[in-house]
Amino acid sequence: MANMGHNNLNAKLVLLGDMGAGKSSLVIRFVKGQFLEFQESTIGAAFFSQTVAVNNATVKFEIWDTAGQERYHSLAPMYYRGAAAAIIVYDISSTDSFARAKKWVQELQKQGNPNMVMALAGNKADLEDKRKVTAEEARVYAEENGLFFVETSAKTAVNVNEIFYEIAKRLPRAQPTQNPAGMVLVDRPAEGSRTASCCS
Amino acid sequence: MPSDTNSSSSSLSSDSEFHSQNSNQDLNPNLNPDSIDLSLDAIENQLVSISMSSHPETAPFDLEEDQSEPTEQLTTMIAQMNGEIGEEVVVDEIEEEEEDKSTMKAETSRLFKESSSEVWRNNSEEEEAMSPSSSGYAGERGSSGDAATVGNEIDDDDDDDAEDEIDEAWNYGVSESQEQWAPQKRNLDEDDTSISWRKRKKHFFILSHSGKPIYSRYGDEHKLAGFSATLQAIISFVENGYIACSSSFVIISSFCFPIRLYICLLHCFLFRGDRVKLVRAGKHQVVFLVKGPIYLVCISCTEEPYESLRGQLELLYGQMILILTKSVNRCFEKDPKFDMTHLLGGTDVVFSSLIHSFSWNPSTFLHAYTCLPLAYATRQAAGLILQDTADSGVLFAILMCRHKVISLVSAQKASLHPDDVLLLSNFVMSSESFRTSESFSPICLPRYNPMAFLYAYVHYFNVDTYLLLLTTSSDAFFHLKDCRIRIESVLLKSNVLSEVQRSMVDGGMRVEDLSIEPASIMGTMSSHLGQAGPAADSPGRIREAFFGIGGPAGLWHFMYRSINLDQYVSSEFSSPINSLRQQKRLYRAYQKFFSSMHDKGNGPHKTQFRRDENYVLLCWVTEEFELYAAFDPLAEKALAIKTCNRVRQWVKAVENDIFLLGASPFSW
Ligand SMILES: Nc1nc2c(ncn2[C@@H]2O[C@H](COP(=O)(O)OP(=O)(O)O)[C@@H](O)[C@H]2O)c(=O)[nH]1
Ligand SMILES: [Mg+2]
């Protein structure tokens, strides 16, 4: 890849959603290719990074996997502030988690970065028999709110990499001038040559 | 025991001596005129007499039956150093008030009548079956309640999985799987009507002043709502002054869910809480701790001293503050019925792991932390690089291996309390998510500032070794990440991490390595903290040879707490106490010993010598240190004392390797 030096982007991505929706599972599937049946609750926020290559460029995601517990709610801006992208996760077998996802969308629309790429992930798609939220319902909501939507399964890996690649593609790239705040994408070529994950 | 009567030839140190007293004086608590019988029958008799408006203080009381266990009878108490006759510390004793209690009596019986029907409404049929009369307590007489609780309580800390943890935690052995750190899950299908729930040996509850359950060790707190309401009703009596405890707690016992508890409380009212230090009867104790809108309750039949249980509730509260800060109180100001369980989502495991550590981690009652043994230079190398980060805006930098400190430094003027170290390491180790990836989490150090969050960067270097960098800035993550990268490379270069691994394999001080010959102790300082010799080379085989022996003079184990450093060191378990059950029993014995040494203002210099069928226990407290040692029950007293002197010298000789010494400006 010839232009590697030029097209390396660092993008801060935050995962939000109800506790238990599968945020950590999605990240771990994406970063480590693993799935744990008994994923422990996240405390505070866990940091991961993973690099993906799209269209002649690499995007290094700096991922904040937040805890989703209420006690950290007031601290959430600390993690989504300056984020280029957000994945709002709900569990298709829980209407509560879908309601909570909508709340997060609202909050990001109000407080978040206006250029943020937002994805809605209906996770646990493998639990078809326990489904409470239809794909249609979620798709309509996503369209209305300008999110892109996909159903995922951290367990079976369906659509997990895809959602991150899709975000990487949608990130406005190499246009720092259009982001006067300079927070959306930080071009750090010096770090671009590092390999995928800094945290093993 | 005749052999215990004298120790004249031996002295513990230049500044202290045992003045032995034969303590065969009758310590039978039943003869204590001030003691009170709180057995159920007696309580009920009391209640009857109260309602008859007689004078309860004239009724004859005797103390609980537990006191007469064989272990207690064998107890030998020797002597205070200052020459006073050793006093058995009968904690289970309350003093009577002379003043007239008639108003109180009237109040309590009125309250009792008013609330008896209400309070119990939520409780199970089983409870009602035991109380055929509507007044609740009258039919409770007899043993039906006791039968449910006496005999075969479920003591989780004796469960297999729990014991693995004890083993893992006490020993420095090669690291096993991390799963061991996950304490047993709570039994969510249990509620207060299940037999298994009632048989648990030690319950912990947190509830709000409006009676909303916040946490329960067993069962789902929501299913326990009725029980919580009961506790809340009781506590509100406490608050309204019927038990006027200045320190805002009271202990009661002779307990059976929940009616008996209630009876006991009523009983306590009559003796005016401010004088009631500890009331126990039957098997149960109940301890309350009221912290603003939050009530913490422990119900236990583990025979632990009241001070210990109270300390455990304090720690439990501290753990909650660590997660939420004290500003959670404001939620209750806005809405007294505020439901706090949501705020604690996902932290059950933090509490259950803390509660579990109450039965194996001496830090929980010593209020001191312990260090991983490391060569002085190695620990210093770690301290230096941590100090670097502290100079760059990090408030506290802590490097730990499981629950042991490798090194810690703090920014100037900041100081870290040992309890905060305990709560912090418990929080980090019990939350599996910290192992998955580096994390950045708000946490509050209750002893540092209970009102505000700090931000903790947490990173595991390997399964057991982790770094905590605490800061006041919520934006500091990337700075802290850089700090960690620097620290990691220095730790690797200077072999600190490999030394840490080695120390875990080698273990700490072994009583078998203690030499009784003065000359050799100083001479040989191997990396194993003991005498160079075969024991260090092939510990496994040698220990087999030592089976049933332990160290010199029958020394089995010791624990040394440095008062200035707020650190302790405890020896490895020798073969005579290699079973987990024995280790736990020893732990409890120390715990008991500790609180008996601390609950009376006898001045700083104290010694105690006790013999029972399990051990000889020796405790020696000065202004500088506390030494607790366990010997073979047949150990000779004079020799045991001599051995304690040797232990002290040994600790002194290796203190550079077992303690963190003045690396940075601490001032706790
Ligand atoms: N069946 C199924 N279970 C999942 C999936 N993703 C996560 N889980 C489970 O859901 C639980 C909560 O997942 P976790 O990643 O901790 O959720 P988080 O709180 O949002 O981080 C865990 O027990 C996971 O194993 C999925 O795609 N399918
Ligand atoms: Mg998570």
Side-chain angles (χ1 to χ4, degrees):
Chain A
M1 284 192 280
N3 342 343
M4 199 159 165
H6 268 77
N7 286 324
N8 292 328
L9 306 173
N10 278 29
K12 178 170 167 180
L13 181 151
V14 63
L15 283 110
L16 298 166
D18 208 1
M19 182 176 131
K23 298 178 294 300
S24 302
S25 301
L26 284 172
V27 186
I28 289 166
R29 170 61 78 188
F30 173 56
V31 174
K32 304 187 175 181
Q34 299 166 346
F35 176 77
L36 288 172
E37 205 64 56
F38 301 102
Q39 180 65 43
E40 294 275 344
S41 293
T42 310
I43 304 290
F47 182 81
F48 296 83
S49 62
Q50 175 71 300
T51 305
V52 296
V54 278
N55 306 337
N56 274 347
T58 59
V59 174
K60 184 185 174 192
F61 282 117
E62 295 184 332
I63 304 167
W64 282 109
D65 168 26
T66 63
Q69 289 112 354
E70 236 176 86
R71 67 174 168 280
Y72 298 127
H73 197 124
S74 61
L75 300 156
M78 181 169 122
Y79 303 109
Y80 66 66
R81 203 186 308 130
I87 303 178
I88 295 107
V89 186
Y90 68 92
D91 168 357
I92 65 152
S93 67
S94 154
T95 45
D96 282 356
S97 78
F98 187 54
R100 189 115 164 94
K102 290 178 179 173
K103 290 229 171 87
W104 278 116
V105 172
Q106 267 176 23
E107 177 163 346
L108 289 180
Q109 284 167 343
K110 264 193 243 153
Q111 326 262 0
N113 177 344
N115 297 319
M116 189 186 281
V117 176
M118 282 198 262
L120 181 66
N123 190 41
K124 309 198 188 180
D126 55 293
L127 300 178
E128 190 55 53
D129 51 330
K130 292 187 182 149
R131 177 189 287 278
K132 296 274 162 52
V133 183
T134 64
E136 193 47 36
E137 185 184 353
R139 184 170 296 115
V140 169
Y141 173 79
E143 264 167 32
E144 283 169 6
N145 289 275
L147 316 170
F148 99 82
F149 166 71
V150 67
E151 287 196 345
T152 58
S153 169
K155 187 171 181 174
T156 64
V158 164
N159 283 340
V160 177
N161 287 347
E162 286 77 356
I163 197 169
F164 286 93
Y165 277 86
E166 188 57 34
I167 289 170
K169 276 190 228 157
R170 291 177 183 229
L171 286 172
R173 63 200 53 246
Q175 294 169 320
T177 45
Q178 292 190 358
N179 297 306
M183 302 181 81
V184 179
L185 295 178
V186 187
D187 212 290
R188 280 194 260 172
E191 286 187 17
S193 56
R194 263 199 221 145
T195 44
S197 173
C198 69
C199 34
S200 43
Chain B
M1 287 194 190
S3 66
D4 289 335
T5 51
N6 206 308
S7 67
S8 52
S9 61
S10 53
S11 71
L12 280 164
S13 74
S14 49
D15 62 338
S16 57
E17 279 173 58
F18 273 121
H19 292 268
S20 308
Q21 297 284 346
N22 190 331
S23 67
N24 282 349
Q25 54 189 317
D26 198 344
L27 295 170
N28 186 345
N30 290 320
L31 299 183
N32 187 333
D34 293 333
S35 60
I36 291 176
D37 182 358
L38 281 183
S39 69
L40 186 67
D41 285 357
I43 290 165
E44 283 163 13
N45 289 334
Q46 278 299 297
L47 286 167
V48 171
S49 63
I50 292 155
S51 56
M52 301 285 204
S53 177
S54 72
H55 286 283
E57 57 267 43
T58 58
F61 294 122
D62 33 307
L63 251 172
E64 52 154 300
E65 60 278 19
D66 304 30
Q67 276 291 316
S68 54
E69 279 179 7
T71 49
E72 297 287 339
Q73 286 176 339
L74 283 169
T75 296
T76 310
M77 290 285 307
I78 303 284
Q80 314 297 319
M81 312 205 6
N82 44 16
E84 284 169 26
I85 291 173
E87 245 179 290
E88 171 68 282
V89 185
V90 183
V91 283
D92 308 32
E93 170 183 316
I94 63 173
E95 287 155 324
E96 274 182 65
E97 282 261 308
E98 293 305 341
E99 71 184 76
D100 189 357
K101 300 179 187 70
S102 54
T103 343
M104 178 82 57
K105 277 180 288 175
E107 264 315 309
T108 43
S109 47
R110 182 184 60 79
L111 268 169
F112 183 71
K113 273 182 208 131
E114 269 177 16
S115 51
S116 57
S117 56
E118 274 177 16
V119 173
W120 314 125
R121 199 172 44 209
N122 290 324
N123 292 306
S124 68
E125 278 127 42
E126 200 178 330
E127 218 48 84
E128 282 161 25
M130 290 198 297
S131 34
S133 87
S134 59
S135 61
Y137 68 92
E140 247 266 280
R141 181 189 302 269
S143 59
S144 61
D146 274 335
T149 43
V150 171
N152 50 350
E153 278 82 6
I154 302 171
D155 182 353
D156 292 83
D157 302 320
D158 282 335
D159 290 351
D160 299 348
D161 53 344
E163 292 208 340
D164 287 345
E165 271 195 331
I166 297 172
D167 187 30
E168 181 256 2
W170 277 86
N171 292 309
Y172 292 99
V174 192
S175 75
E176 296 99 60
S177 81
Q178 28 177 292
E179 271 81 338
Q180 283 180 325
W181 269 110
Q184 65 276 7
K185 291 282 172 216
R186 295 188 307 144
N187 303 62
L188 289 179
D189 47 335
E190 284 182 15
D191 62 32
D192 52 344
T193 61
S194 357
I195 297 288
S196 60
W197 189 85
R198 287 161 186 242
K199 282 188 184 173
R200 298 283 182 189
K201 261 198 166 176
K202 205 167 167 188
H203 286 269
F204 284 92
F205 305 96
I206 308 178
L207 56 142
S208 75
H209 65 331
S210 68
K212 279 246 185 329
I214 295 169
Y215 171 81
S216 166
R217 184 184 188 190
Y218 302 112
D220 183 338
E221 38 304 308
H222 295 286
K223 290 190 197 153
L224 299 172
F227 185 69
S228 268
T230 307
L231 287 175
Q232 187 273 334
I234 289 162
I235 293 169
S236 72
F237 294 159
V238 177
E239 286 205 318
N240 291 330
Y242 297 105
I243 297 181
C245 287
S246 52
S247 41
S248 75
F249 53 76
V250 67
I251 218 171
I252 338 100
S253 78
S254 178
F255 172 79
C256 172
F257 297 107
I259 291 177
R260 201 166 292 190
L261 166 63
Y262 188 59
I263 292 170
C264 290
L265 272 153
L266 285 173
H267 190 75
C268 288
F269 303 155
L270 306 173
F271 297 99
R272 283 294 299 274
D274 45 358
R275 294 291 297 274
V276 174
K277 278 207 79 179
L278 175 62
V279 185
R280 291 177 63 204
K283 286 208 129 199
H284 287 89
Q285 309 182 60
V286 182
V287 186
F288 292 116
L289 179 63
V290 178
K291 293 281 192 185
I294 293 167
Y295 300 162
L296 300 100
V297 185
C298 174
I299 299 167
S300 153
C301 58
T302 55
E303 299 287 306
E304 286 165 90
Y306 145 81
E307 290 80 7
S308 305
L309 296 174
R310 191 197 63 191
Q312 292 168 11
L313 288 180
E314 289 278 0
L315 285 171
L316 205 61
Y317 180 69
Q319 191 73 76
M320 203 190 82
I321 296 306
L322 184 134
I323 297 165
L324 295 175
T325 79
K326 223 171 165 173
S327 57
V328 72
N329 288 359
R330 270 185 243 136
C331 301
F332 290 101
E333 282 161 24
K334 277 186 227 144
D335 173 15
K337 293 214 148 48
F338 178 72
D339 184 353
M340 234 179 88
T341 47
H342 300 299
L343 289 184
L344 288 170
T347 57
D348 265 6
V349 71
V350 177
F351 290 104
S352 50
S353 137
L354 178 70
I355 290 168
H356 186 242
S357 73
F358 296 155
S359 63
W360 68 261
N361 189 343
S363 289
T364 59
F365 65 88
L366 290 178
H367 303 290
Y369 65 87
T370 193
C371 284
L372 184 77
L374 280 177
Y376 180 71
T378 308
R379 199 186 311 281
Q380 214 182 21
L384 279 176
I385 180 67
L386 293 185
Q387 187 64 58
D388 254 18
T389 62
D391 296 339
S392 78
V394 173
L395 198 57
F396 300 108
I398 311 165
L399 183 60
M400 297 197 64
C401 183
R402 299 191 191 170
H403 64 291
K404 292 180 177 154
V405 169
I406 295 167
S407 185
L408 60 81
V409 303
S410 43
Q412 291 209 327
K413 292 193 184 140
S415 69
L416 194 53
H417 191 280
D419 283 356
D420 282 350
V421 176
L422 169 73
L423 296 173
L424 194 55
S425 65
N426 178 64
F427 179 72
V428 170
M429 278 192 294
S430 60
S431 313
E432 197 60 27
S433 93
F434 288 122
R435 298 171 192 272
T436 319
S437 176
E438 58 194 324
S439 303
F440 193 57
S441 174
I443 58 108
C444 164
L445 294 181
R447 299 292 197 126
Y448 179 71
N449 180 358
M451 294 311 295
F453 271 128
L454 296 173
Y455 301 90
Y457 173 89
V458 185
H459 179 81
Y460 272 85
F461 291 124
N462 56 46
V463 184
D464 302 304
T465 313
Y466 54 98
L467 176 71
L468 302 169
L469 301 175
L470 306 188
T471 168
T472 52
S473 155
S474 64
D475 299 325
F477 175 78
F478 287 99
H479 171 62
L480 300 181
K481 186 175 162 69
D482 288 344
C483 287
R484 184 268 299 172
I485 292 168
R486 245 179 331 121
I487 291 170
E488 187 163 18
S489 78
V490 171
L491 293 180
L492 284 170
K493 254 185 256 158
S494 49
N495 289 328
V496 174
L497 292 180
S498 51
E499 286 297 315
V500 165
Q501 296 288 347
R502 214 175 73 137
S503 171
M504 290 185 57
V505 176
D506 290 348
M509 301 174 87
R510 292 199 180 86
V511 292
E512 294 87 347
D513 294 339
L514 176 66
S515 163
I516 209 74
E517 300 309 317
S520 56
I521 238 179
M522 306 300 188
T524 52
M525 269 306 310
S526 78
S527 59
H528 288 146
L529 306 164
Q531 271 61 48
D537 296 324
S538 52
R541 196 169 312 157
I542 293 300
R543 254 184 280 170
E544 246 170 64
F546 269 115
F547 185 79
I549 295 172
L555 176 64
W556 283 357
H557 188 263
F558 68 85
M559 221 162 59
Y560 176 102
R561 171 181 180 235
S562 159
I563 288 161
N564 290 333
L565 296 173
D566 270 323
Q567 294 171 44
Y568 76 93
V569 65
S570 91
S571 69
E572 300 284 303
F573 288 110
S574 59
S575 46
I577 39 172
N578 58 7
S579 94
L580 298 161
R581 196 166 291 271
Q582 286 165 318
Q583 289 164 15
K584 186 178 160 191
R585 191 165 57 193
L586 177 61
Y587 173 87
R588 286 264 161 88
Y590 279 151
Q591 187 185 21
K592 212 169 184 171
F593 223 17
F594 179 88
S595 62
S596 79
M597 290 300 279
H598 285 259
D599 72 346
K600 290 208 172 178
N602 290 351
H605 295 269
K606 287 186 282 190
T607 56
Q608 267 193 61
F609 182 92
R610 286 186 191 212
R611 188 192 296 276
D612 67 22
E613 82 254 16
N614 300 313
Y615 341 85
V616 161
L617 284 180
L618 214 148
C619 174
W620 176 20
V621 176
T622 73
E623 274 163 347
E624 199 185 314
F625 66 86
E626 293 179 11
L627 177 63
Y628 299 85
F631 291 84
D632 187 302
L634 300 175
E636 223 182 284
K637 186 179 173 195
L639 220 66
I641 291 170
K642 199 174 160 199
T643 308
C644 283
N645 278 311
R646 302 303 306 149
V647 169
R648 189 206 169 178
Q649 286 166 324
W650 188 22
V651 167
K652 203 91 194 125
V654 296
E655 67 179 359
N656 280 334
D657 296 354
I658 54 177
F659 294 130
L660 174 65
L661 299 172
S664 65
F666 294 132
S667 54
W668 46 59

